[in-house]
């Protein structure tokens, strides 16, 4: 026998878990176990069970739970293990050997592990201690102050043991093990500085310096945002130690210095904001020192091509056409390594990314340090694919021929002859050809060198799929900078002293610039031109979304801003893609799929999918998961300024509503729809189809954040009739994840329904909201929301809705014990469901009626109730909640039959329930059936109350 507090409060025997019943009974057991072998008064138990004012019959309820616990322990053979629950005056004592308590074993193992001299022994003991945890401490109990405090204390002990385990792994030399432990805990407890400090140190020791710095900065931002404080001395000291220890040259980066041996210190933007532009000049004047690279050459690198034989025709003609690189290059180690790997002889590398992300800077930076691998020279051309008049390939070929030593008087007059000469001259040369700012493959093909010893580096804002297919080009995608390099870019441009004086403001500027190098360079130029401005001043200005894009441009360089770069990209789109982009500004959530895009466009999903793919090809949206697209913040702001279609948001909301309705019907087939589409919704809305229940539930999980954002957008735009529907249509997912913070969203729906003065809407929202509050143990709030619901449903002439509201109200009332009032509510619910010919709701009512009868000890009536319920017409109850309810009724019937002495009949009934629950994937039913089958030879297990079954609710 084992008593568990480190997870869901429970009792486990060799036959399995003991079915304890409702949360209040678990709370009584938890309070007794926390003070095992000591007296606990009834008043203390009352305070544990009710956090607010207890009801008048609280003492009787507690005594009833103690009595039931004694019966459960007796039937589980507790006496054989030296366990007993005895009364001593006005108190109770839970007598139990300490070894049976998981908390005792946890503390013992933790003490022993910390005292171990050998690291391996410490790891074994501390790991075994943490393995005793099966979830949050004291889970499944009432949220009273005393139990919450005890759970917090236990969680604090667990975290200390986790930190000790990480230290033991370090002593053992297993840094990966230490990092794994610390990362898991740091994700769950991001504000715990001791964890952050330990993880930062562990990452640095393991050679992950950038990850360590990144975690420090993320923790610092969280502390500032959530608590309004900075890092403590320990975490700050770890950070400073990394900076001191990390100074100097980094290994494994030969050949990354600029010509002349000096490395620049900023990440570059596009050529439009490079040397000669105002932003580039500002960055040049503030360039810093070497960061994260080693100066030097890489001549003769194994990554380069083999030297081809000399030819007298090209002797002394080694072109070097690279323009001066963008000053201040930082980071991009992953992309530089990728170029090192793939730009061997005969290859085409393709650097792609959105406007302003630094493609040109990356290409020039790499090319400068790789050109020594290509002894016959470097050719460069800006093909002006985005902005200005695109360069003609024939024009570029002539420039390349001149660079290769062909006299101007010998240049062929026809483009075809010039191309043939270019192929001839490059057939045996080892050249590096850099083609910047390419719009399409047609600009590239005539410029490809003919020899196998050459390599080509292409940059473009589009994916250039044709080049990948026809020339086997190797893509190197380039995204925005992460928080650390973005902040370092600012420091390099405006001075490390200014950034060090305002680190939080610098981080905020980096976030407001979306990590886009072009935006960061312009921001640096703004600060350089205004030395009297604090970084926080500019951050406050940029925080205004109405002005941000205007601020991210320069007065004397109208074509160098973020908006200008995006405008040029958008102008090259196909009409349908351009129209969709102009509508993306109304999307309230973090991403969208083709169905949402189709709703925006008012076009079929196939058309929307093609438009999204074109936007992704132009790097205006990012396909972060198959079929799901997101926008960077600056792109979203630009799109928002293009919206001219006032009906776009309403189409999007109606598309979401229609798909949510389809998902609810797929998730719970046989249920009546909880609402219809708004009367003025379009008839041909794009709706996704769902293969089965699991498919629908996955959709709910993926779209949860988008649906919540849609509700807020609907309320802000005055579409309350859409807002409440978008909430209640999520009820199947709410049922399966009820403890996942749904109350704020449901409160929004309730406010929307009140403003509409719609009794049908309000009753449905109240029924679901009250049930969720009941599951969270917030009974007084639940009752306040539920009590008006039946009358509102009756006002709306919704008979089934009234029955559901009555059932959910009874569930809340029965949390403190079955009352005559709750019995009356359920009796009326049965009658209403029968009148409405609503079999599923009648089954739900009869299921709860059975619980009530079993709880009151009226076994014969419970058996008759289940017999009647199971004899109902099975139409509409062959899948989903119908099967679950029938399985649950069979389990209750098995309990009743066993209590009446009909063991064989009880076993048949439970086995049938097990088969139904297994087919449906109803795991709670499977577990309960197995438990009943295991105990059929002994005492009857206590009935599971409806508050312990997440599926006791029907659609709102």
């Amino acid at each position: 026998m084992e008593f568990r507090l480190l997870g869901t409060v429970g009792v486990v025997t060799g036959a399995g878990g003991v079915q304890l019943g409702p949360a209040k009974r678990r709370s009584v057991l938890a309070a007794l176990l926390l003070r095992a072998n000591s007296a606990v008064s009834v008043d203390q138990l009352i305070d544990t069970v009710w956090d607010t004012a207890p009801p008048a019959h609280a003492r009787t309820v507690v005594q009833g739970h103690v009595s039931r616990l004694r019966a459960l322990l007796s039937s589980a053979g507790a006496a054989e293990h030296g366990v007993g629950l005895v009364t001593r005056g006005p108190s109770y004592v839970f007598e139990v050997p300490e070894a049976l308590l998981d908390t005792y074993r946890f503390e013992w193992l933790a003490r022993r592990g910390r005292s171990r001299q050998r690291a391996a022994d410490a790891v074994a003991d501390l790991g075994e201690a943490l393995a005793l945890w099966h979830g949050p401490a004291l889970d499944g109990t009432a949220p009273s102050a005393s139990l919450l405090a005890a759970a917090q204390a236990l969680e604090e002990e667990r975290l200390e043991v986790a930190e000790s385990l990480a230290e033991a792994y370090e002593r053992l030399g297993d840094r990966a093990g230490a990092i794994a432990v610390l990362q898991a805990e740091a994700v769950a407890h991001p504000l715990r500085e001791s964890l952050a400090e330990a993880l930062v140190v562990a990452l640095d020791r393991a050679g992950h310096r950038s990850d360590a710095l990144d975690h420090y900065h993320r923790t610092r931002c969280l502390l500032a945002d959530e608590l309004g404080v900075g890092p403590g001395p320990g975490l700050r000291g770890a950070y400073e130690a990394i900076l001191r220890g990390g100074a100097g040259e980094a290994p494994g980066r030969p050949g990354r210095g600029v010509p002349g041996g000096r490395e620049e210190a900023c990440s570059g933007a596009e050529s439009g904001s490079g040397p000669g532009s105002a932003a580039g000049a500002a960055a040049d004047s503030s360039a810093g020192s070497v960061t994260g690279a080693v100066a030097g050459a890489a001549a003769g690198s194994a990554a380069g091509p083999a030297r081809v034989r000399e030819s007298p025709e090209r002797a002394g003609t080694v072109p070097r056409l690279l323009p001066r690189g963008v000053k201040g290059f930082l980071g991009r180690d992953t992309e530089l390594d990728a170029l090192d790997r793939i730009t061997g002889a005969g290859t085409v590398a393709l650097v792609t990314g959105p406007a302003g992300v630094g493609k040109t800077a990356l290409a020039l930076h790499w090319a400068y340090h790789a050109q020594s691998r290509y002894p016959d020279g470097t050719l460069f051309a800006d093909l002006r694919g985005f902005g200005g008049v695109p360069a003609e390939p024939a024009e570029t070929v002539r420039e390349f021929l001149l660079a290769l030593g062909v006299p101007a008087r010998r240049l062929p007059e026809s483009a075809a002859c010039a191309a043939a000469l270019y192929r001839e001259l490059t057939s045996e040369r080892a050249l590096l050809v850099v083609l910047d700012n390419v719009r399409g493959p047609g600009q590239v093909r005539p410029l490809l060198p003919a020899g196998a010893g050459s390599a080509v580096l292409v940059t473009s804002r589009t994916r250039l799929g044709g080049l990948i297919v026809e020339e086997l080009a190797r893509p190197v995608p380039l995204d925005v900078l992460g928080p650390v390099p973005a902040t370092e870019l600012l420091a390099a441009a405006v001075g490390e002293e200014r950034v060090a004086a305002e680190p939080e403001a610098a981080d905020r500027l980096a976030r407001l610039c979306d990590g886009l190098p072009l935006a960061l360079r312009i921001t640096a130029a703004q600060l350089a031109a205004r030395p009297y401005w604090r970084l926080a001043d500019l951050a406050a200005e940029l925080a205004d979304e109405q002005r941000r894009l205007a601020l991210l441009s320069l007065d004397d360089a109208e074509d160098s801003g973020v908006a200008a770069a995006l405008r040029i990209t958008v102008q090259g789109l196909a009409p349908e893609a351009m129209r969709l982009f102009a509508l993306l500004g109304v999307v309230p959530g973090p991403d969208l799929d083709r169905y949402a895009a189709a709703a925006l466009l008012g076009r079929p999903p196939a058309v929307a999918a093609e438009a999204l793919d074109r936007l992704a090809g132009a790097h205006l949206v990012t396909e972060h998961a198959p079929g799901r697209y997101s926008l960077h913040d600056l792109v979203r702001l630009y799109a928002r300024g293009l919206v001219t279609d006032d009906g776009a948001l309403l189409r999007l909301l109606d598309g979401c509503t229609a798909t949510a309705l389809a998902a609810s019907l797929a998730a719970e087939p046989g249920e009546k729809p909880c609402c219809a589409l708004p009367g003025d919704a379009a008839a041909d809305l794009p709706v996704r189809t769902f293969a089965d229940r699991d498919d629908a539930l996955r959709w709910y999980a993926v779209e949860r954040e988008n649906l919540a954002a849609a509700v807020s957008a609907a309320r802000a735009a005055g579409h309350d009739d859409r807002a409440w529907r978008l909430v209640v249509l999520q009820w199947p997912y709410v049922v399966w994840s009820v403890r996942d913070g749904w109350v704020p969203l449901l409160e929004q729906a309730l406010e929307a329904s009140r403003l509409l003065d719609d009794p049908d809407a309000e009753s449905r929202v109240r029924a679901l909201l009250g049930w969720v509050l009941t599951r969270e143990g917030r009974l007084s709030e639940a009752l306040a929301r539920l009590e008006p619901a039946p009358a509102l449903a009756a006002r709306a002439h919704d008979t089934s809705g009234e029955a559901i509201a009555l059932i959910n109200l009874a569930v809340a009332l029965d949390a403190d014990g079955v009352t005559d009032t709750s019995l009356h509510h359920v009796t009326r619910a049965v009658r209403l469901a029968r009148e409405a010919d609503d079999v599923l709701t009648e089954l739900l009512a009869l299921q709860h009626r059975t619980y009530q009868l079993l709880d009151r000890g009226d076994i014969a009536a419970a058996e008759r109730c289940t017999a009647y319920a199971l004899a109902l017409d099975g139409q509409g109850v062959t899948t989903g909640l119908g099967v679950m309810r029938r399985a649950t009724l069979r389990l209750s019937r098995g309990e009743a039959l066993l209590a009446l002495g009909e063991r064989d009949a009880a076993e048949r009934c439970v086995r049938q329930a097990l088969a139904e629950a297994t087919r449906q994937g109803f795991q709670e039913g499977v577990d309960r059936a197995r438990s009943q089958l295991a105990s059929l030879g002994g005492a009857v297990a206590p009935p599971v109350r409806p508050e312990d079954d997440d599926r006791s609710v029907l659609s709102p």
Side-chain angles (χ1 to χ4, degrees), residues 86-99:
V86 300
T87 303
R88 289 186 184 168
S91 303
Y92 298 104
V93 177
F94 200 104
E95 297 178 340
V96 55
E98 289 182 328

PDB file of all heavy atoms in Angstrom, residues 86-99:
ATOM      1  N   VAL A  86      -8.196   6.864  13.185  1.00  0.00           N
ATOM      2  CA  VAL A  86      -8.831   6.753  14.494  1.00  0.00           C
ATOM      3  C   VAL A  86      -9.285   8.120  14.975  1.00  0.00           C
ATOM      4  O   VAL A  86      -8.763   9.161  14.561  1.00  0.00           O
ATOM      5  CB  VAL A  86      -7.851   6.140  15.517  1.00  0.00           C
ATOM      6  CG1 VAL A  86      -7.419   4.761  15.076  1.00  0.00           C
ATOM      7  CG2 VAL A  86      -6.636   7.038  15.704  1.00  0.00           C
ATOM      8  N   THR A  87     -10.292   8.077  15.858  1.00  0.00           N
ATOM      9  CA  THR A  87     -10.826   9.304  16.450  1.00  0.00           C
ATOM     10  C   THR A  87     -10.225   9.496  17.838  1.00  0.00           C
ATOM     11  O   THR A  87     -10.184   8.567  18.639  1.00  0.00           O
ATOM     12  CB  THR A  87     -12.355   9.227  16.565  1.00  0.00           C
ATOM     13  OG1 THR A  87     -12.902   8.981  15.260  1.00  0.00           O
ATOM     14  CG2 THR A  87     -12.921  10.523  17.135  1.00  0.00           C
ATOM     15  N   ARG A  88      -9.752  10.709  18.087  1.00  0.00           N
ATOM     16  CA  ARG A  88      -9.238  11.052  19.409  1.00  0.00           C
ATOM     17  C   ARG A  88      -9.872  12.368  19.835  1.00  0.00           C
ATOM     18  O   ARG A  88      -9.423  13.448  19.422  1.00  0.00           O
ATOM     19  CB  ARG A  88      -7.716  11.168  19.402  1.00  0.00           C
ATOM     20  CG  ARG A  88      -7.024   9.819  19.238  1.00  0.00           C
ATOM     21  CD  ARG A  88      -5.528   9.942  19.372  1.00  0.00           C
ATOM     22  NE  ARG A  88      -4.875   8.659  19.108  1.00  0.00           N
ATOM     23  CZ  ARG A  88      -3.565   8.507  18.923  1.00  0.00           C
ATOM     24  NH1 ARG A  88      -2.771   9.576  18.993  1.00  0.00           N
ATOM     25  NH2 ARG A  88      -3.031   7.315  18.681  1.00  0.00           N
ATOM     26  N   GLY A  89     -10.922  12.256  20.636  1.00  0.00           N
ATOM     27  CA  GLY A  89     -11.640  13.451  21.067  1.00  0.00           C
ATOM     28  C   GLY A  89     -12.247  14.153  19.864  1.00  0.00           C
ATOM     29  O   GLY A  89     -12.910  13.531  19.029  1.00  0.00           O
ATOM     30  N   PRO A  90     -12.004  15.454  19.755  1.00  0.00           N
ATOM     31  CA  PRO A  90     -12.556  16.210  18.625  1.00  0.00           C
ATOM     32  C   PRO A  90     -11.673  16.148  17.386  1.00  0.00           C
ATOM     33  O   PRO A  90     -11.865  16.925  16.461  1.00  0.00           O
ATOM     34  CB  PRO A  90     -12.593  17.642  19.167  1.00  0.00           C
ATOM     35  CG  PRO A  90     -11.431  17.703  20.095  1.00  0.00           C
ATOM     36  CD  PRO A  90     -11.310  16.342  20.729  1.00  0.00           C
ATOM     37  N   SER A  91     -10.705  15.238  17.375  1.00  0.00           N
ATOM     38  CA  SER A  91      -9.737  15.194  16.276  1.00  0.00           C
ATOM     39  C   SER A  91      -9.652  13.794  15.685  1.00  0.00           C
ATOM     40  O   SER A  91     -10.185  12.823  16.233  1.00  0.00           O
ATOM     41  CB  SER A  91      -8.348  15.624  16.777  1.00  0.00           C
ATOM     42  OG  SER A  91      -8.391  16.912  17.350  1.00  0.00           O
ATOM     43  N   TYR A  92      -8.952  13.729  14.562  1.00  0.00           N
ATOM     44  CA  TYR A  92      -8.673  12.450  13.908  1.00  0.00           C
ATOM     45  C   TYR A  92      -7.162  12.295  13.762  1.00  0.00           C
ATOM     46  O   TYR A  92      -6.435  13.280  13.591  1.00  0.00           O
ATOM     47  CB  TYR A  92      -9.307  12.387  12.516  1.00  0.00           C
ATOM     48  CG  TYR A  92     -10.812  12.497  12.517  1.00  0.00           C
ATOM     49  CD1 TYR A  92     -11.436  13.683  12.143  1.00  0.00           C
ATOM     50  CD2 TYR A  92     -11.597  11.416  12.889  1.00  0.00           C
ATOM     51  CE1 TYR A  92     -12.821  13.791  12.139  1.00  0.00           C
ATOM     52  CE2 TYR A  92     -12.984  11.513  12.888  1.00  0.00           C
ATOM     53  CZ  TYR A  92     -13.591  12.707  12.509  1.00  0.00           C
ATOM     54  OH  TYR A  92     -14.950  12.797  12.514  1.00  0.00           O
ATOM     55  N   VAL A  93      -6.690  11.044  13.830  1.00  0.00           N
ATOM     56  CA  VAL A  93      -5.283  10.727  13.631  1.00  0.00           C
ATOM     57  C   VAL A  93      -5.186   9.664  12.543  1.00  0.00           C
ATOM     58  O   VAL A  93      -5.828   8.611  12.639  1.00  0.00           O
ATOM     59  CB  VAL A  93      -4.609  10.221  14.920  1.00  0.00           C
ATOM     60  CG1 VAL A  93      -3.158   9.843  14.636  1.00  0.00           C
ATOM     61  CG2 VAL A  93      -4.694  11.264  16.019  1.00  0.00           C
ATOM     62  N   PHE A  94      -4.403   9.960  11.519  1.00  0.00           N
ATOM     63  CA  PHE A  94      -4.167   8.988  10.458  1.00  0.00           C
ATOM     64  C   PHE A  94      -2.875   8.252  10.805  1.00  0.00           C
ATOM     65  O   PHE A  94      -1.775   8.784  10.632  1.00  0.00           O
ATOM     66  CB  PHE A  94      -4.026   9.678   9.095  1.00  0.00           C
ATOM     67  CG  PHE A  94      -4.259   8.756   7.930  1.00  0.00           C
ATOM     68  CD1 PHE A  94      -5.440   8.792   7.221  1.00  0.00           C
ATOM     69  CD2 PHE A  94      -3.299   7.826   7.538  1.00  0.00           C
ATOM     70  CE1 PHE A  94      -5.669   7.949   6.155  1.00  0.00           C
ATOM     71  CE2 PHE A  94      -3.510   6.981   6.477  1.00  0.00           C
ATOM     72  CZ  PHE A  94      -4.713   7.031   5.785  1.00  0.00           C
ATOM     73  N   GLU A  95      -3.027   7.034  11.322  1.00  0.00           N
ATOM     74  CA  GLU A  95      -1.870   6.243  11.734  1.00  0.00           C
ATOM     75  C   GLU A  95      -1.339   5.472  10.524  1.00  0.00           C
ATOM     76  O   GLU A  95      -2.060   4.694   9.905  1.00  0.00           O
ATOM     77  CB  GLU A  95      -2.269   5.275  12.850  1.00  0.00           C
ATOM     78  CG  GLU A  95      -2.726   5.987  14.122  1.00  0.00           C
ATOM     79  CD  GLU A  95      -3.164   5.012  15.197  1.00  0.00           C
ATOM     80  OE1 GLU A  95      -3.474   3.841  14.850  1.00  0.00           O
ATOM     81  OE2 GLU A  95      -3.218   5.411  16.377  1.00  0.00           O
ATOM     82  N   VAL A  96      -0.072   5.723  10.190  1.00  0.00           N
ATOM     83  CA  VAL A  96       0.500   5.112   8.996  1.00  0.00           C
ATOM     84  C   VAL A  96       2.012   5.016   9.159  1.00  0.00           C
ATOM     85  O   VAL A  96       2.650   5.965   9.629  1.00  0.00           O
ATOM     86  CB  VAL A  96       0.143   5.944   7.738  1.00  0.00           C
ATOM     87  CG1 VAL A  96       0.574   7.393   7.878  1.00  0.00           C
ATOM     88  CG2 VAL A  96       0.743   5.325   6.482  1.00  0.00           C
ATOM     89  N   PRO A  97       2.629   3.890   8.817  1.00  0.00           N
ATOM     90  CA  PRO A  97       4.094   3.823   8.791  1.00  0.00           C
ATOM     91  C   PRO A  97       4.645   4.839   7.784  1.00  0.00           C
ATOM     92  O   PRO A  97       4.143   4.951   6.661  1.00  0.00           O
ATOM     93  CB  PRO A  97       4.373   2.383   8.331  1.00  0.00           C
ATOM     94  CG  PRO A  97       3.125   1.619   8.659  1.00  0.00           C
ATOM     95  CD  PRO A  97       2.002   2.579   8.490  1.00  0.00           C
ATOM     96  N   GLU A  98       5.684   5.559   8.191  1.00  0.00           N
ATOM     97  CA  GLU A  98       6.208   6.624   7.329  1.00  0.00           C
ATOM     98  C   GLU A  98       6.671   6.112   5.974  1.00  0.00           C
ATOM     99  O   GLU A  98       6.613   6.820   4.959  1.00  0.00           O
ATOM    100  CB  GLU A  98       7.363   7.339   8.034  1.00  0.00           C
ATOM    101  CG  GLU A  98       6.920   8.189   9.203  1.00  0.00           C
ATOM    102  CD  GLU A  98       8.094   8.915   9.834  1.00  0.00           C
ATOM    103  OE1 GLU A  98       9.218   8.361   9.811  1.00  0.00           O
ATOM    104  OE2 GLU A  98       7.891  10.032  10.344  1.00  0.00           O
ATOM    105  N   ALA A  99       7.125   4.880   5.930  1.00  0.00           N
ATOM    106  CA  ALA A  99       7.646   4.331   4.674  1.00  0.00           C
ATOM    107  C   ALA A  99       6.566   4.224   3.599  1.00  0.00           C
ATOM    108  O   ALA A  99       6.877   4.086   2.410  1.00  0.00           O
ATOM    109  CB  ALA A  99       8.276   2.966   4.911  1.00  0.00           C
TER     110      ALA A  99
END
